[in-house]
Amino acid sequence: MRDAEEEPERGAQDLPGAGTGTPDSWDRLWTPHRMAYIKGEGKPSGLRAEDGCPFCRAPELTDSEGLVVSRGKTAYAVLNLYPYNSGHLLVCPYRHVDQYTALNEEETVEVAAMTQAAVRALTDAYHPQGFNVGMNLGSVAGAGIAAHLHQHIVPRWGGDSNFMPVIGHTKVLPEMLEQTRVKLTEHWP
């Protein structure tokens, strides 16, 4: 621990974002790619696919471009573009619906089956110690894109909520999304 005399006095120039190039005692991890998420870019403006829904757009791309891990008849699995942890998957129906109760029986069965397949693939590929699986239905429930139903499958490890996300509001991910996609594709049942 430092003595008080060794700790530099902090002023306005030491505040994050208070200037550029000024040496100070702060460590920084720059994540400018997250600004699109913060600003809400790519979020559909309404309940129609034509409004720019990324979950309608992803399956129209190649698997690599859309980060699609697996395709079914009525649903598909895709990596979360802004993952909580490595391997954070989403299972989405192709059909643009915003409510779980709007799924037909075939979609409901395939979303469930793909969720199980996702857990198996993540277990084989990454050996997580647990999972968070679920849906946020509606903006007030935490859905970032409420207009298109999607189920989250988030692998969890002891210590993955350490000081970086809790205090630093920063996630440290050990591999690029395309590497994760390839690895999960190889382990998909």
Side-chain angles (χ1 to χ4, degrees):
M1 187 160 162
R2 293 179 168 177
D3 291 333
E5 295 173 350
E6 294 177 24
E7 184 68 32
E9 188 174 318
R10 294 185 178 176
Q13 74 277 3
D14 293 327
L15 296 175
T20 59
T22 305
D24 58 32
S25 60
W26 291 86
D27 290 326
R28 293 175 177 81
L29 286 177
W30 302 100
T31 57
H33 63 280
R34 292 200 42 87
M35 189 54 69
Y37 177 77
I38 292 165
K39 290 181 175 180
E41 293 174 14
K43 284 188 182 182
S45 58
L47 298 179
R48 298 174 309 147
E50 303 83 49
D51 293 330
C53 176
F55 298 136
C56 290
R57 192 170 48 248
E60 295 173 354
L61 303 172
T62 66
D63 288 355
S64 181
E65 291 172 327
L67 298 174
V68 175
V69 174
S70 180
R71 295 173 187 263
K73 184 177 175 186
T74 64
Y76 70 99
V78 62
L79 285 174
N80 190 325
L81 192 55
Y82 304 102
Y84 297 130
N85 281 337
S86 287
H88 182 169
L89 284 169
L90 305 171
V91 174
C92 308
Y94 291 113
R95 194 164 59 95
H96 189 87
V97 297
D98 65 340
Q99 292 298 314
Y100 185 65
T101 54
L103 294 178
N104 62 39
E105 186 175 341
E106 186 179 17
E107 291 166 330
T108 302
V109 168
E110 190 160 46
V111 166
M114 290 194 95
T115 299
Q116 289 179 331
V119 169
R120 287 186 189 103
L122 286 161
T123 298
D124 291 347
Y126 294 103
H127 310 288
Q129 297 167 314
F131 290 91
N132 290 118
V133 176
M135 298 179 193
N136 300 321
L137 302 176
S139 296
V140 298
I145 299 175
H148 194 131
L149 179 80
H150 54 284
Q151 171 123 287
H152 293 262
I153 300 97
V154 182
R156 300 300 305 268
W157 294 267
D160 65 11
S161 289
N162 57 39
F163 76 95
M164 290 299 287
V166 174
I167 306 240
H169 301 284
T170 302
K171 278 290 185 179
V172 178
L173 303 169
E175 63 187 4
M176 300 302 287
L177 290 174
E178 178 57 17
Q179 293 170 311
T180 303
R181 190 195 70 76
V182 169
K183 191 171 190 176
L184 288 175
T185 300
E186 292 170 354
H187 286 87
W188 199 264

